[in-house]
Every structure is written in C-alpha cells, then in structure tokens.
Amino acid sequence: GSRMLKGISPLISPELLKCLCEMGHSDEIVLADAHFPAMNLGPKVIRADGLDIPRLLEAILQLIPLDQYDANHFALMQVVPGDPVDPVIWKDYADILMKAEPNTKPTLVERFEYYQRAAKAYCIVATGEQAQYANVILKKGVVKG
C-alpha cells in the first residue's frame, strides 16, 4: 500500500507503529484474538481485524525488545481447568520467540488475572485470530542504540 516504509512490515499499521513508539520501558501491549473482550477493558484499542497473531507478533518483535528485567514479559492465558483445548498456536509462538528473543520463556497467567493485566496495558490490538487462547501480552524492554 501507500504507507510502505523500508524495514517495517506492512502488517504494522501507522496507528500500531505510533503506539509501539510511544510505549516506554515496561509498558505492555496485548495482541488479542477474536474472542477477547478488547473493547470492554479500557485501554486504547487498535483494530487489526484481518490479521493473525503469529505474523503480527513476528513483525512487532522486529521493532521492540522484550523486558529483560522482568521474566514475565511474554504472557499467555492459561487454559481454564476442564477446557479441552490444546492451544497448538503456542508452538508457533515458541518458534517465533526462538528467532526473535531466544532467552524468552512464555508465562501462563490465570484468566481473570490476565484480563486485569490487559486492562492496565498501554494498548490492545484486536486481531482476527480465530485460535483459542491465542492472546499475547508483551512487556516492552529497553531499546539499546
């Protein structure tokens, strides 16, 4: 499209780029799947309706580092006990992290705690991701010159 920039994925909208720039060290961004109550939680919501989370995650991790001072910098929502879902998308995330942030281990956060944390995020990106338990909270680290 007309908003192409060198070195920046076309999946990153101008609004999302602005948000990533504005975020400071330890601010959080939520990549929300299509099931997530994004509009209801309070933070600014950026629409990314046609996009799946793995490709968007890959593009974002080329632009921001994760917070190395806090091991809880890549948070997934724990499967609710008794829910027979096996989130296969987590394998994709592991592969993406291996490339972008090799020292990162995802943290699993209980559902209601997850919503509380998302409510304090800098912004929420509402994607079209159909997979269940695909939400990701990223905590921004220090960008070293």
Side-chain angles (χ1 to χ4, degrees):
S2 58
R3 59 165 213 272
M4 298 289 285
L5 293 172
K6 280 184 175 175
I8 292 180
S9 163
L11 300 181
I12 305 276
S13 69
E15 199 182 358
L16 178 53
L17 188 59
K18 179 177 187 284
C19 174
L20 293 170
C21 285
E22 288 170 350
M23 286 170 69
H25 178 207
S26 87
D27 276 341
E28 296 191 320
I29 184 169
V30 183
L31 306 185
D33 64 32
H35 317 281
F36 195 80
M39 303 306 288
N40 203 14
L41 288 176
K44 176 170 63 178
V45 173
I46 294 172
R47 309 283 326 179
D49 296 84
L51 301 183
D52 61 88
I53 292 178
R55 288 186 320 142
L56 189 58
L57 176 64
E58 226 167 355
I60 289 172
L61 289 180
Q62 285 171 9
L63 301 176
I64 64 164
L66 297 178
D67 188 354
Q68 295 308 316
Y69 299 107
D70 183 350
N72 194 348
H73 55 215
F74 187 96
L76 300 169
M77 188 187 289
Q78 204 172 34
V79 175
V80 174
D83 196 342
V85 176
D86 174 19
V88 286
I89 197 164
W90 292 0
K91 230 186 89 33
D92 295 342
Y93 295 167
D95 295 342
I96 291 164
L97 281 172
M98 200 44 138
K99 284 190 213 111
E101 296 266 343
N103 301 322
T104 289
K105 293 263 180 298
T107 319
L108 294 179
V109 178
E110 185 275 330
R111 182 170 160 235
F112 290 105
E113 203 183 310
Y114 200 92
Y115 288 137
Q116 284 170 347
R117 190 164 157 189
K120 294 192 214 93
Y122 189 80
C123 72
I124 298 175
V125 184
T127 73
E129 181 58 64
Q130 294 297 311
Q132 283 181 276
Y133 295 101
N135 308 296
V136 177
I137 297 176
L138 303 173
K139 185 185 281 261
K140 186 179 182 180
V142 176
V143 179
K144 301 194 169 79

